[in-house]
Amino acid sequence: QVHLVESGGGLVQPGGSLTLSCAASRSIFSNYYMAWYRQAPGKQRDLVAGISSGGKTNYADSVKGRFTISRDNAKNMVYLQMNNLKPEDTAVYYCKSAGTNDYWGQGTQVTVSS
């Protein structure tokens, strides 16, 4: 069963913006901590941003002030608004649900290039 599906990735110029979306199954969304991770080629997978069921957020230092994570509990959706994108933001972005068990989406590619 597919539990998490990311969308919204693509190619953008430096300084541009993208919004990523994650559609989650209700059974792994309600009352769960949701997060976005990213992984560039040859690099480890790192936490980008997280959000609790109550809306409390945290961000990696590298994206603070540029990225915003949000969630719509009624629609079982998580979003990542990315502004002022930089080439170093290029990576595959993954949605994660953290609960009794962890679930991952398939990832969506974000490429920041001129």
Side-chain angles (χ1 to χ4, degrees):
Q1 295 291 321
V2 177
H3 300 292
L4 297 169
V5 179
E6 302 100 329
S7 62
L11 175 65
V12 64
Q13 293 185 338
S17 299
L18 282 175
T19 298
L20 305 182
S21 299
C22 174
S25 299
R26 181 182 179 183
S27 63
I28 62 169
F29 185 89
S30 298
N31 300 316
Y32 288 160
Y33 185 84
M34 303 295 295
W36 288 96
Y37 284 71
R38 67 186 182 187
Q39 186 170 24
K43 303 293 184 180
Q44 69 180 43
R45 187 175 298 182
D46 293 326
L47 175 68
V48 177
I51 185 167
S52 73
S53 61
K56 293 183 178 180
T57 60
N58 67 286
Y59 298 91
D61 288 341
S62 60
V63 306
K64 286 182 178 178
R66 299 189 297 119
F67 291 11
T68 302
I69 187 171
S70 61
R71 66 191 293 163
D72 186 335
N73 290 339
K75 296 182 178 180
N76 301 325
M77 296 287 292
V78 184
Y79 307 95
L80 185 68
Q81 175 68 49
M82 305 184 294
N83 298 322
N84 191 25
L85 283 160
K86 303 175 180 180
E88 51 262 45
D89 295 319
T90 296
V92 177
Y93 284 70
Y94 298 90
C95 183
K96 177 189 178 182
S97 172
T100 302
N101 297 306
D102 293 341
Y103 295 90
W104 295 86
Q106 81 288 347
T108 185
Q109 177 72 48
V110 173
T111 302
V112 185
S113 176
S114 299

